[in-house]
Amino acid sequence: MREPEVHRAVVAAREVAASLGLPAEEAAVLHDSNKLTLRLLPADTLARVAPVADQVARFEVGLARRLTAAGCPVGTLDPRVAPDVHERDGFVVTLWTYYPPVAPGGVPPADLARALAVLHAGMRELDVPAPRFTERVARAQHLLADHDRTPALAPEDRALLQETLGATAEWITARGAPEQLLHGEPHPGNVLATARGPLFIDLETCCRGPVEFDLAHTPEAAGAHYSGADQELLRRCRLLVSAIVAVWRWDREDRFPDGTRLGREWLARVRDAAGRT
Protein backbone atom coordinates (compact mmCIF):
# COMPACT_ATOMS: atom_id res chain seq x y z
CA MET A 1 0.00 0.00 0.00
CA ARG A 2 1.03 3.61 -0.43
CA GLU A 3 2.09 5.43 2.72
CA PRO A 4 -1.16 7.39 3.33
CA GLU A 5 -3.14 4.16 2.90
CA VAL A 6 -0.89 2.31 5.34
CA HIS A 7 -1.65 4.79 8.12
CA ARG A 8 -5.39 4.60 7.50
CA ALA A 9 -5.28 0.81 7.29
CA VAL A 10 -3.45 0.53 10.61
CA VAL A 11 -5.97 2.81 12.30
CA ALA A 12 -8.85 0.80 10.83
CA ALA A 13 -7.38 -2.49 12.08
CA ARG A 14 -6.75 -1.15 15.57
CA GLU A 15 -10.27 0.25 15.79
CA VAL A 16 -11.86 -2.99 14.61
CA ALA A 17 -9.85 -5.08 17.08
CA ALA A 18 -10.62 -2.74 19.97
CA SER A 19 -14.33 -2.75 19.14
CA LEU A 20 -14.27 -6.55 19.49
CA GLY A 21 -12.56 -6.46 22.87
CA LEU A 22 -9.01 -7.06 21.64
CA PRO A 23 -6.71 -4.26 22.84
CA ALA A 24 -4.51 -3.01 20.01
CA GLU A 25 -2.41 -0.09 21.20
CA GLU A 26 0.52 -1.20 19.04
CA ALA A 27 0.66 -2.39 15.43
CA ALA A 28 3.73 -4.00 13.84
CA VAL A 29 3.72 -4.27 10.05
CA LEU A 30 4.66 -7.83 9.06
CA HIS A 31 3.98 -7.57 5.33
CA ASP A 32 2.97 -4.78 2.99
CA SER A 33 1.93 -5.28 -0.63
CA ASN A 34 -1.62 -5.18 -2.00
CA LYS A 35 -2.71 -6.23 1.49
CA LEU A 36 -1.33 -5.13 4.85
CA THR A 37 -0.57 -7.76 7.51
CA LEU A 38 -0.25 -6.48 11.07
CA ARG A 39 0.51 -7.95 14.48
CA LEU A 40 -1.66 -6.10 16.98
CA LEU A 41 -0.52 -5.89 20.60
CA PRO A 42 -1.13 -6.51 23.45
CA ALA A 43 -3.99 -8.69 22.15
CA ASP A 44 -1.45 -10.50 19.95
CA THR A 45 -3.79 -11.01 17.03
CA LEU A 46 -2.98 -10.93 13.32
CA ALA A 47 -4.93 -8.43 11.23
CA ARG A 48 -5.12 -8.58 7.47
CA VAL A 49 -6.29 -5.35 5.87
CA ALA A 50 -7.18 -4.67 2.23
CA PRO A 51 -9.03 -1.93 0.34
CA VAL A 52 -12.68 -2.84 -0.06
CA ALA A 53 -12.41 -2.74 -3.85
CA ASP A 54 -9.55 -5.28 -4.00
CA GLN A 55 -10.57 -7.80 -1.35
CA VAL A 56 -11.83 -11.37 -1.43
CA ALA A 57 -11.92 -11.63 2.34
CA ARG A 58 -15.29 -13.35 2.63
CA PHE A 59 -14.11 -16.12 0.31
CA GLU A 60 -10.90 -16.55 2.31
CA VAL A 61 -12.66 -16.59 5.69
CA GLY A 62 -15.24 -19.12 4.49
CA LEU A 63 -12.59 -21.39 3.01
CA ALA A 64 -10.39 -21.17 6.10
CA ARG A 65 -13.29 -22.26 8.29
CA ARG A 66 -14.03 -25.27 6.10
CA LEU A 67 -10.40 -26.34 5.84
CA THR A 68 -9.89 -25.93 9.59
CA ALA A 69 -12.95 -28.08 10.26
CA ALA A 70 -11.50 -30.72 7.93
CA GLY A 71 -8.25 -30.80 9.91
CA CYS A 72 -6.14 -29.21 7.17
CA PRO A 73 -2.85 -27.45 8.05
CA VAL A 74 -3.96 -23.85 7.62
CA GLY A 75 -3.71 -20.72 9.73
CA THR A 76 -6.92 -20.27 11.72
CA LEU A 77 -9.07 -17.27 12.44
CA ASP A 78 -8.72 -15.72 15.89
CA PRO A 79 -11.00 -17.88 18.08
CA ARG A 80 -11.67 -15.00 20.50
CA VAL A 81 -13.94 -13.20 18.03
CA ALA A 82 -16.65 -14.20 15.57
CA PRO A 83 -15.24 -15.37 12.20
CA ASP A 84 -16.33 -12.35 10.22
CA VAL A 85 -15.20 -9.67 7.80
CA HIS A 86 -15.20 -6.14 9.17
CA GLU A 87 -15.39 -2.94 7.12
CA ARG A 88 -13.90 0.32 8.36
CA ASP A 89 -12.93 3.52 6.49
CA GLY A 90 -12.80 1.87 3.05
CA PHE A 91 -10.94 -1.24 4.23
CA VAL A 92 -11.89 -4.79 5.11
CA VAL A 93 -10.25 -6.27 8.19
CA THR A 94 -10.02 -9.94 9.18
CA LEU A 95 -8.48 -11.22 12.40
CA TRP A 96 -6.36 -14.37 12.55
CA THR A 97 -4.33 -16.35 15.05
CA TYR A 98 -0.76 -15.08 15.39
CA TYR A 99 1.79 -17.93 15.36
CA PRO A 100 5.23 -17.15 16.79
CA PRO A 101 7.92 -18.51 14.42
CA VAL A 102 9.70 -21.57 15.75
CA ALA A 103 12.10 -22.46 12.91
CA PRO A 104 14.30 -19.59 11.67
CA GLY A 105 15.44 -21.68 8.71
CA GLY A 106 11.92 -22.20 7.42
CA VAL A 107 10.03 -25.45 6.85
CA PRO A 108 12.15 -28.46 5.79
CA PRO A 109 11.27 -29.65 2.25
CA ALA A 110 10.00 -33.07 3.38
CA ASP A 111 7.72 -31.50 6.02
CA LEU A 112 6.44 -28.98 3.50
CA ALA A 113 5.63 -31.68 0.94
CA ARG A 114 3.77 -33.77 3.53
CA ALA A 115 1.76 -30.78 4.75
CA LEU A 116 0.89 -29.79 1.19
CA ALA A 117 -0.30 -33.33 0.45
CA VAL A 118 -2.59 -33.19 3.50
CA LEU A 119 -3.93 -29.81 2.37
CA HIS A 120 -4.58 -31.15 -1.12
CA ALA A 121 -6.41 -34.17 0.27
CA GLY A 122 -8.70 -31.87 2.24
CA MET A 123 -9.25 -29.57 -0.72
CA ARG A 124 -10.29 -32.49 -2.92
CA GLU A 125 -13.32 -32.94 -0.66
CA LEU A 126 -14.54 -29.36 -1.10
CA ASP A 127 -16.84 -28.09 -3.82
CA VAL A 128 -15.54 -24.52 -4.06
CA PRO A 129 -15.77 -22.43 -7.24
CA ALA A 130 -12.32 -21.18 -8.23
CA PRO A 131 -10.68 -20.10 -11.50
CA ARG A 132 -8.50 -22.55 -13.42
CA PHE A 133 -4.74 -21.89 -13.33
CA THR A 134 -4.95 -20.77 -16.96
CA GLU A 135 -6.74 -17.60 -15.81
CA ARG A 136 -3.38 -16.43 -14.45
CA VAL A 137 -1.77 -17.20 -17.78
CA ALA A 138 -4.39 -15.07 -19.51
CA ARG A 139 -3.80 -12.17 -17.10
CA ALA A 140 -0.06 -12.35 -17.71
CA GLN A 141 -0.56 -12.45 -21.47
CA HIS A 142 -2.83 -9.42 -21.22
CA LEU A 143 -0.08 -7.51 -19.40
CA LEU A 144 2.45 -8.46 -22.06
CA ALA A 145 0.10 -7.21 -24.77
CA ASP A 146 -0.25 -3.88 -22.94
CA HIS A 147 3.06 -2.09 -23.58
CA ASP A 148 2.02 0.81 -21.35
CA ARG A 149 1.81 -1.54 -18.36
CA THR A 150 5.09 -3.34 -19.16
CA PRO A 151 7.17 -0.63 -20.87
CA ALA A 152 10.60 -1.73 -19.64
CA LEU A 153 10.52 -5.19 -21.22
CA ALA A 154 12.87 -5.61 -24.19
CA PRO A 155 11.12 -6.91 -27.35
CA GLU A 156 13.00 -10.23 -27.26
CA ASP A 157 12.11 -10.77 -23.60
CA ARG A 158 8.46 -9.94 -24.24
CA ALA A 159 8.40 -12.46 -27.08
CA LEU A 160 10.08 -15.11 -24.90
CA LEU A 161 7.51 -14.67 -22.14
CA GLN A 162 4.59 -14.73 -24.57
CA GLU A 163 5.83 -17.93 -26.20
CA THR A 164 6.65 -19.58 -22.88
CA LEU A 165 3.25 -18.83 -21.37
CA GLY A 166 1.28 -20.06 -24.37
CA ALA A 167 3.28 -23.18 -25.19
CA THR A 168 3.76 -24.31 -21.59
CA ALA A 169 0.10 -23.88 -20.60
CA GLU A 170 -0.89 -25.83 -23.71
CA TRP A 171 1.56 -28.63 -22.84
CA ILE A 172 0.28 -28.85 -19.26
CA THR A 173 -3.34 -29.05 -20.42
CA ALA A 174 -2.50 -31.73 -22.98
CA ARG A 175 -0.81 -33.80 -20.26
CA GLY A 176 -4.30 -34.50 -18.95
CA ALA A 177 -3.38 -34.76 -15.26
CA PRO A 178 -6.24 -34.76 -12.73
CA GLU A 179 -7.16 -31.26 -11.56
CA GLN A 180 -8.52 -30.11 -8.21
CA LEU A 181 -8.79 -27.14 -5.89
CA LEU A 182 -5.31 -25.81 -5.04
CA HIS A 183 -3.84 -23.28 -2.64
CA GLY A 184 -2.55 -21.40 -5.67
CA GLU A 185 0.63 -19.89 -4.21
CA PRO A 186 2.11 -22.11 -1.46
CA HIS A 187 5.53 -20.47 -1.71
CA PRO A 188 7.67 -20.12 1.45
CA GLY A 189 6.16 -16.72 2.23
CA ASN A 190 2.74 -18.36 2.58
CA VAL A 191 3.86 -21.21 4.84
CA LEU A 192 4.41 -20.67 8.55
CA ALA A 193 6.76 -22.81 10.64
CA THR A 194 4.81 -23.16 13.89
CA ALA A 195 4.70 -25.37 16.96
CA ARG A 196 1.80 -27.16 15.26
CA GLY A 197 3.90 -27.83 12.17
CA PRO A 198 3.71 -26.10 8.77
CA LEU A 199 0.57 -24.01 8.28
CA PHE A 200 -0.57 -22.47 5.00
CA ILE A 201 -1.92 -18.92 4.87
CA ASP A 202 -3.24 -16.50 2.19
CA LEU A 203 -6.01 -18.74 0.90
CA GLU A 204 -7.36 -16.06 -1.42
CA THR A 205 -5.09 -17.31 -4.22
CA CYS A 206 -6.98 -20.60 -4.70
CA CYS A 207 -7.35 -21.95 -8.21
CA ARG A 208 -7.94 -25.28 -9.93
CA GLY A 209 -5.26 -27.32 -11.64
CA PRO A 210 -2.91 -30.27 -11.19
CA VAL A 211 -1.19 -30.56 -7.80
CA GLU A 212 2.11 -30.01 -9.59
CA PHE A 213 1.07 -26.38 -10.19
CA ASP A 214 1.05 -25.86 -6.41
CA LEU A 215 4.31 -27.78 -6.02
CA ALA A 216 5.89 -25.46 -8.59
CA HIS A 217 5.71 -22.64 -6.03
CA THR A 218 7.72 -24.60 -3.44
CA PRO A 219 11.51 -25.09 -3.25
CA GLU A 220 12.73 -27.71 -5.72
CA ALA A 221 13.70 -30.14 -2.97
CA ALA A 222 10.06 -30.41 -1.87
CA GLY A 223 8.97 -31.94 -5.18
CA ALA A 224 10.97 -35.11 -4.58
CA HIS A 225 9.11 -35.70 -1.30
CA TYR A 226 5.57 -35.35 -2.69
CA SER A 227 4.28 -38.85 -3.29
CA GLY A 228 3.06 -39.50 -6.83
CA ALA A 229 4.16 -36.18 -8.31
CA ASP A 230 4.69 -36.20 -12.08
CA GLN A 231 8.22 -34.83 -12.25
CA GLU A 232 8.09 -33.78 -15.91
CA LEU A 233 4.78 -32.04 -15.34
CA LEU A 234 6.26 -30.37 -12.27
CA ARG A 235 9.21 -29.12 -14.31
CA ARG A 236 6.86 -27.56 -16.86
CA CYS A 237 4.72 -26.04 -14.11
CA ARG A 238 7.83 -24.45 -12.59
CA LEU A 239 8.59 -22.88 -15.95
CA LEU A 240 5.02 -21.59 -16.25
CA VAL A 241 5.04 -20.14 -12.73
CA SER A 242 8.41 -18.48 -13.38
CA ALA A 243 7.01 -16.82 -16.51
CA ILE A 244 3.84 -15.64 -14.74
CA VAL A 245 5.74 -14.17 -11.79
CA ALA A 246 8.27 -12.52 -14.11
CA VAL A 247 5.47 -10.73 -15.95
CA TRP A 248 3.91 -9.51 -12.70
CA ARG A 249 7.22 -8.04 -11.54
CA TRP A 250 7.62 -6.14 -14.86
CA ASP A 251 4.19 -4.56 -14.47
CA ARG A 252 4.76 -0.83 -13.85
CA GLU A 253 1.90 -0.87 -11.32
CA ASP A 254 3.42 -3.73 -9.32
CA ARG A 255 4.16 -2.71 -5.73
CA PHE A 256 6.03 -5.80 -4.61
CA PRO A 257 9.09 -4.83 -2.55
CA ASP A 258 12.28 -4.81 -4.68
CA GLY A 259 10.17 -5.80 -7.68
CA THR A 260 12.58 -4.50 -10.34
CA ARG A 261 15.46 -6.69 -9.18
CA LEU A 262 13.15 -9.69 -8.77
CA GLY A 263 11.74 -9.13 -12.24
CA ARG A 264 15.20 -9.47 -13.74
CA GLU A 265 15.88 -12.60 -11.68
CA TRP A 266 12.64 -14.33 -12.68
CA LEU A 267 13.22 -13.44 -16.33
CA ALA A 268 16.68 -15.01 -16.12
CA ARG A 269 15.09 -18.19 -14.72
CA VAL A 270 12.70 -18.31 -17.67
CA ARG A 271 15.54 -17.88 -20.16
CA ASP A 272 17.48 -20.68 -18.50
CA ALA A 273 14.54 -23.07 -18.16
CA ALA A 274 13.17 -22.39 -21.63
CA GLY A 275 16.54 -23.28 -23.09
CA ARG A 276 16.20 -26.76 -21.53
CA THR A 277 12.61 -27.45 -22.67
Side-chain angles (χ1 to χ4, degrees), residues 46 75 97-99 107 188-194 197-201:
L46 190 84
T97 301
Y98 174 75
Y99 298 95
V107 179
N190 283 339
V191 187
L192 303 179
T194 77
L199 296 178
F200 295 92
I201 58 173

Side-chain angles (χ1 to χ4, degrees), residues 7 55 83 97 103 106 124 203 226 231 233 237:
H7 176 73
Q55 60 85 28
T97 301
R124 278 195 290 274
L203 301 170
Y226 191 102
Q231 294 300 319
L233 177 56
C237 284

Side-chain angles (χ1 to χ4, degrees), residues 78-167:
D78 191 319
R80 296 171 291 180
V81 297
D84 206 350
V85 176
H86 310 275
E87 292 194 20
R88 184 72 58 104
D89 190 25
F91 296 97
V92 292
V93 180
T94 51
L95 298 175
W96 302 79
T97 301
Y98 174 75
Y99 298 95
V102 297
V107 179
D111 294 347
L112 174 57
R114 283 192 291 267
L116 188 58
V118 173
L119 178 64
H120 286 158
M123 285 183 150
R124 278 195 290 274
E125 303 302 315
L126 300 184
D127 182 16
V128 175
R132 192 165 181 256
F133 74 96
T134 48
E135 186 269 343
R136 296 188 193 178
V137 177
R139 279 193 286 134
Q141 289 172 323
H142 178 75
L143 281 172
L144 289 174
D146 187 345
H147 288 238
D148 289 337
R149 286 284 296 271
T150 52
L153 268 174
E156 61 272 20
D157 292 330
R158 189 181 304 274
L160 170 64
L161 290 168
Q162 288 171 326
E163 171 63 22
T164 300
L165 288 167

Side-chain angles (χ1 to χ4, degrees), residues 5 24 39 68 72 75 95 102 157 191 217 239 255:
E5 290 181 307
R39 182 186 182 186
T68 298
C72 291
L95 298 175
V102 297
D157 292 330
V191 187
H217 293 78
L239 173 57
R255 298 188 186 123

Side-chain angles (χ1 to χ4, degrees), residues 133 172 177-180 182 208-215 233 237:
F133 74 96
I172 292 169
E179 297 189 2
Q180 65 158 85
L182 304 173
R208 303 195 73 86
V211 296
E212 286 81 3
F213 183 78
D214 256 2
L215 270 175
L233 177 56
C237 284

